[in-house]
Amino acid sequence: MNFFDEINKKYKVFEFGEISSVNSIMKLKDFSPIQIPEEYFEIITERKEIEINIRDIEYIGISIWNAICCIEMNTEYYIQKYTLMN
């Protein structure tokens, strides 16, 4: 049983985009200065880009981007810079 089979009914899951290929995952691993959890790779090889929202509440949720989108977003907005600030 995976995460998406167990998700609580008060959440709504949307999928869009493409499932990440092995090649795109390797590019992300090479690109990223931080170690990415293996659970993330399991999710993006099983599902497309994902957005999880709390039902009946707008604009509260999380997004899980596929590997290529992570590279694009980090290149455009320098997101990694904020995760390395400690």
Side-chain angles (χ1 to χ4, degrees):
M1 196 142 305
N2 74 35
F3 172 80
F4 296 99
D5 294 331
E6 295 293 317
I7 197 162
N8 190 308
K9 298 296 182 204
K10 70 179 179 179
Y11 300 101
K12 184 160 177 107
V13 178
F14 300 94
E15 290 187 55
F16 49 92
E18 298 180 12
I19 293 174
S20 294
S21 66
V22 172
N23 186 39
S24 65
I25 289 172
M26 296 309 296
K27 286 180 183 177
L28 179 58
K29 286 181 177 181
D30 290 341
F31 172 83
S32 180
I34 62 172
Q35 183 174 357
I36 302 169
E38 287 300 315
E39 292 85 359
Y40 168 75
F41 297 121
E42 290 174 20
I43 291 171
I44 65 172
T45 56
E46 286 183 20
R47 301 290 177 133
K48 300 175 182 183
E49 292 180 48
I50 302 160
E51 187 172 294
I52 303 171
N53 293 332
I54 299 173
R55 287 188 187 274
D56 304 323
I57 301 176
E58 290 187 52
Y59 309 117
I60 297 179
I62 62 168
S63 295
I64 302 172
W65 300 319
N66 68 24
I68 295 300
C69 190
C70 281
I71 293 170
E72 290 170 354
M73 294 297 277
N74 282 309
T75 300
E76 188 70 26
Y77 298 104
Y78 308 105
I79 295 169
Q80 296 287 34
K81 172 178 76 173
Y82 302 104
T83 63
L84 298 174
M85 296 173 73
N86 287 336

